[in-house]
Amino acid sequence: MLRAENLTKRYRQGDKEVVALLGFTHAFPQGATAVVGPSGSGKTTLLNLLAGLDLPTEGGVYLGEIPLHRLSEDERAGVRLRHMGFVFQQWNLIPTLTAWENVAFPLLLAGWPLGKRRARALELLEGVGLLKRAHHLPSRLSGGEQQRVALARALALDPPILFADEPTGNLDAEAKEQVAALLFKAGKERTLILVTHDLELARRAERILHLKGGRLLWEEVPSPNP
Amino acid sequence: MEVFHLVLRNLLARPVRSLLTLLGVLIATASMVLFLSFGEGLRRALFQELSRVGPAIQVVPEGAEGFAFSAYPEITPEALRALEEAGKALGVKALIPTLLLARGGFDPKTGFFFQGLPPGVSPSLLYPGLRVRESRLLPSAQGAVAGAKIAQRGGLTLGSPLRLSPKVALKVEGILEESGGLADNLLFAPLPALQAVLGTKNVGAVLVALRPGQKAEEVARALEGAVPGLKAQTTGEVMRFAERALRISDLVRFGISLVALVVGGLLVANTVMMSVYERTREFGVMRALGARRGFIFRLVVLEALFLALLGGVGGLLLGSLASAAINLYTLKEVGLALSAITPRLALFALGVALGLGILAGLFPAQQASRLPVVEALGRV
Ligand SMILES: Nc1ncnc2c1ncn2[C@@H]1O[C@H](COP(=O)(O)OP(=O)(O)O)[C@@H](O)[C@H]1O
Ligand SMILES: [Mg+2]
C-alpha cells in the first residue's frame, strides 16, 4: 500500500515561492486511482513525490513500512525498479534500443541473463499485441505502439504499483482506447495511479482525486458507465 | 558487458560522428606512436651496435663525448704516444687509433664513410664476427675493404676506384659479408691514407681493447689521468650518455605529439558531452525505471573509453604501418631501421589512449549522473 502523509512541495523561484503541492494526505488502495485537475494543479509534482523521483519539502511517502522520502537517491532507484512501473506521456522509450530491448531494460538492471530477458520481453510484447514489432526501433513505431511498449516495460518485473502520467495525451481516439484498455487491465490487480486531465479517461478508474492549486479538493467515486 | 552493449548501440546510432571522433583519436595516437618510434629505433640500433663493438673503451678529445667520430681529428701524435705508454703500463690488450671520414656529401646514396685503421689491424678487431665475402679482410696501403651494404649501394666491386682527394685514390680490395651492424655501411681504409686526405697526423679516436678480467671503468679513469685533455668512455658510459640524450629527445617528441593528443581528447570529450546532452531525457527515463547513478556514470565513461581505446588501437596499427613503411625506405637508403614499435611503446600508446578516454569521459559522466531525475525527465 502506498501512502502519502501531509505531502508538500514548494519551489523557490527567485524570491517568490511556488507551492506546487500542499498537505496532500491519501492512501492508495489496490485498483486504479485517477488524479485530475487543471494544468499547474500539482499532478505531476504529486506523481514525482509518490514515485520517489523527487523529495517533498514536508511530509512523507510510505511504501508499506518503507519511508521513501528518507531513502537515498540510489535506494529510491532500487525501490522503483522492484516496486514501480512507469508510463509517461511521450518519449518513454530508449531510442537506440529495439522494442523488446526496451521492455527488457528493467530486467537488465535487475541482473537477469540475456536468454531470460528476451523470453520475458517477448511474452510481455505479446501481451500488448506487439510481438511482430519486437525488433523495431521506437522511431518506427506509432505513438500508440510506443505507449504499449512502454506499458509492457512497466510490467517487466511485475511491480505492485503502476504510475502513468498522461499516457494517452498524444494519441488519437483508436490508439488511446487500446492503451487505456491495456492500462486498466494491468491496473486491476495493482495500484495504478493515473495522472490525467482527461475526465473521460479518469471516469474508468475506481477513484478520482481532484486537485486544484496543489490541494486535494475531493475524492470522487465515479458511477459505472451506462 | 551488458552496459557495453548499450554504449555500442548509442555510438552506432550516430555513426558519422562516432567515426570522425575515432579518426581524430586514431590520427593523434598514430602521430605520437610514429614520433616516439624514432627514438625507439635509434635506441635499438645504437645498443645493438654498441653491444657488437669489440673494444670496451673509446678515447676521444674532451668535450666530444658520445659519438664524435665525424668531428675533425684532434688527438695529436704526442697525445697518442702518451696514451700508448699509459696503456702499456696498464696492460691493455690493444690500442687502436682510428678516424672517420665522410666523402661525397651527406646523401646516403652518394656518401661514403671511411673508417681508418692502422696497417695490420683487421676490421674484425673492432667489429667481431665480420667475415669476408670476396677477396680479403685486411686492406693494403692502397686499398679499402667495403661493407656489404655500402658496396651494394655504391655499386662497388673488386677493383673499383675510390677517389678520396686529387692526390689520394684507393681500390676496393675486399667485400665483407653482411653483419647487420654499422660495419655494413663502412669502408675500411688504411689510417695513413685518410690522414693524408685531411692533411693531418692526428686521429679522431682511440679504441682500447681490454684483456679478460680488466675493469673498463678503472682503465678508463687511469687513461684519463695519464693523458689530460682526453676523455675515455666505456661502452656503458656511451650507452648511458646516449640514453640521456634519447630521453630528452623522447620528451621533446612527446611534447609535440601532446598537441595532437589534447585535440583528440577534446574531440572525445565534445562528442560524449554532446551525446550526454542529447540523451538527458533518456537518462531521466532510465533512472525513473530504476537505474542508479553509477549505471549512468559507467555508461558515459565507457563510451569515452571505448572511443579512445579503439582510436588508440587503430592509431597504434596505423603508426606501425607508417613505421614499417619508413623502415623500408631507410633500410634501403642508409641500411638502418630508423623506427621501431617496441612493446613498451605500444603499451605506452594504449595507456595514453586509455588515460585520454578516462579524462574525456569523467566530466560528461559526472554531469549526466548528477542531474536530478525530475530535471532530466523534464527535458525532451
Ligand atoms: N521545477 C519547478 N520549479 C518551479 N516551479 C515548478 C517546478 N515544477 C513545477 N512547478 C510549479 O508547480 C506547480 C505544479 O506543477 P505540476 O505538478 O507540473 O502541475 P500539473 O502536472 O498539474 O500541470 C505549477 O505552478 C508549476 O509551475
Ligand atoms: Mg503535468
Side-chain angles (χ1 to χ4, degrees), chain B residues 10-47:
Chain B
N10 186 56
L11 287 172
L12 290 176
R14 297 156 180 87
V16 175
R17 190 203 294 170
S18 302
L19 203 71
L20 286 177
T21 309
L22 212 62
L23 267 178
V25 181
L26 194 142
I27 289 167
T29 316
S31 72
M32 177 191 74
V33 164
L34 196 60
F35 268 160
L36 292 180
S37 78
F38 291 132
E40 294 290 273
L42 226 55
R43 199 175 258 120
R44 194 168 68 181
L46 221 82
F47 289 172

Side-chain angles (χ1 to χ4, degrees), chain A residues 48 53-54 73-75 77-78 80-81 86 88 90-92 94-98 101 105-106 108-109 114 117 153, chain B residues 2-3 5-6 9-10 13-14 281-282 284-295 371-374 377 380:
Chain A
N48 287 343
L53 293 169
D54 203 357
E73 178 96 33
D74 280 350
E75 284 168 337
R80 280 197 298 275
L81 177 62
F86 291 88
F88 300 105
Q90 56 179 343
W91 311 115
N92 267 296
I94 297 160
T96 52
L97 299 185
T98 60
E101 287 168 331
F105 186 77
L108 172 82
L109 292 179
L114 179 66
R117 288 208 304 268
R153 182 179 62 187
Chain B
E2 304 284 10
V3 179
H5 184 74
L6 291 174
R9 274 302 173 79
N10 186 56
R14 297 156 180 87
R281 163 81 187 181
E282 190 181 322
V285 168
M286 285 181 176
R287 286 175 65 189
L289 294 178
R292 290 159 202 265
R293 276 177 302 183
F295 180 86
L371 198 68
V373 189
V374 280
L377 278 173
V380 174

Side-chain angles (χ1 to χ4, degrees), chain B residues 70 100-106 112-114:
Chain B
S70 50
L100 216 68
L101 176 69
R103 267 296 172 267
F106 287 101
F112 290 130
F113 282 93
F114 290 90

Side-chain angles (χ1 to χ4, degrees), chain A residues 11 13 18 20 38-45:
Chain A
Y11 290 107
Q13 273 187 333
V18 181
S39 181
S41 58
K43 304 184 295 292
T44 298
T45 301

Side-chain angles (χ1 to χ4, degrees), chain B residues 18-377:
Chain B
S18 302
L19 203 71
L20 286 177
T21 309
L22 212 62
L23 267 178
V25 181
L26 194 142
I27 289 167
T29 316
S31 72
M32 177 191 74
V33 164
L34 196 60
F35 268 160
L36 292 180
S37 78
F38 291 132
E40 294 290 273
L42 226 55
R43 199 175 258 120
R44 194 168 68 181
L46 221 82
F47 289 172
Q48 261 175 17
E49 197 49 53
L50 281 174
S51 62
R52 215 181 257 143
V53 165
I57 300 174
Q58 171 191 338
V59 183
V60 294
E62 221 161 43
E65 287 93 340
F67 298 87
F69 271 128
S70 50
Y72 184 79
E74 284 177 22
I75 301 177
T76 60
E78 294 76 48
L80 181 57
R81 242 185 326 275
L83 210 57
E84 272 165 351
E85 262 160 43
K88 213 170 284 170
L90 288 163
V92 301
K93 186 171 150 200
L95 270 150
I96 309 151
T98 180
L99 78 79
L100 216 68
L101 176 69
R103 267 296 172 267
F106 287 101
D107 183 351
K109 253 187 203 155
T110 58
F112 290 130
F113 282 93
F114 290 90
Q115 177 154 26
L117 292 174
V121 170
S122 155
S124 64
L125 198 61
L126 266 54
Y127 305 94
L130 266 191
R131 274 199 299 270
V132 196
R133 197 173 68 204
E134 289 177 54
S135 190
R136 56 201 288 184
L137 184 58
L138 203 59
S140 74
Q142 276 78 43
V145 171
K149 282 184 180 158
I150 198 163
Q152 192 191 8
R153 257 203 322 277
L156 301 178
T157 53
L158 289 180
S160 292
L162 299 162
R163 187 160 291 280
L164 289 177
S165 77
K167 282 185 197 147
V168 183
L170 302 172
K171 269 195 167 49
V172 175
E173 293 181 340
I175 292 175
L176 303 175
E177 258 179 31
E178 187 160 335
S179 70
L182 186 62
D184 293 347
N185 293 298
L186 291 176
L187 283 154
F188 297 98
L191 188 59
L194 300 188
Q195 285 172 324
V197 172
L198 291 171
T200 180
K201 290 273 172 228
N202 292 356
V203 297
V206 180
L207 306 174
V208 182
L210 301 179
R211 283 184 201 291
Q214 276 188 310
K215 289 228 162 55
E217 297 277 337
E218 285 169 19
V219 174
R221 297 294 86 80
L223 287 175
E224 278 176 358
V227 190
L230 292 186
K231 173 103 182 109
Q233 313 170 91
T234 64
T235 311
E237 283 172 323
V238 173
M239 281 194 186
R240 276 196 292 281
F241 179 87
E243 177 58 35
R244 221 168 35 237
L246 279 172
R247 204 162 286 167
I248 291 169
S249 87
D250 279 347
L251 272 179
V252 171
R253 274 172 292 115
F254 181 64
I256 295 170
S257 41
L258 208 56
V259 178
L261 288 174
V262 166
V263 172
L266 288 175
L267 255 167
V268 173
N270 179 59
T271 299
V272 175
M273 200 71 215
M274 243 159 99
S275 118
V276 160
Y277 187 77
E278 289 167 358
R279 286 192 292 165
T280 304
R281 163 81 187 181
E282 190 181 322
F283 290 154
V285 168
M286 285 181 176
R287 286 175 65 189
L289 294 178
R292 290 159 202 265
R293 276 177 302 183
F295 180 86
I296 307 291
F297 189 90
R298 259 179 296 151
L299 209 59
V300 177
V301 165
L302 265 177
E303 185 172 324
L305 218 56
F306 180 73
L307 278 175
L309 262 184
L310 197 65
V313 170
L316 186 58
L317 289 179
L318 184 68
S320 305
L321 273 180
S323 157
I326 284 173
N327 282 343
L328 220 62
Y329 178 78
T330 61
L331 267 173
K332 190 165 137 260
E333 298 299 319
V334 291
L336 205 72
L338 260 187
S339 160
I341 311 288
T342 54
R344 67 173 192 170
L345 174 55
L347 269 178
F348 179 74
L350 292 182
V352 166
L354 195 78
L356 215 67
I358 292 177
L359 274 181
L362 278 182
F363 179 68
Q366 186 96 313
Q367 293 278 306
S369 59
R370 278 255 181 99
L371 198 68
V373 189
V374 280
E375 222 174 285
L377 278 173

Side-chain angles (χ1 to χ4, degrees), chain A residues 49-66:
Chain A
L49 293 176
L50 291 175
L53 293 169
D54 203 357
L55 289 174
T57 316
E58 283 163 42
V61 178
Y62 299 86
L63 178 64
E65 295 303 305
I66 309 170

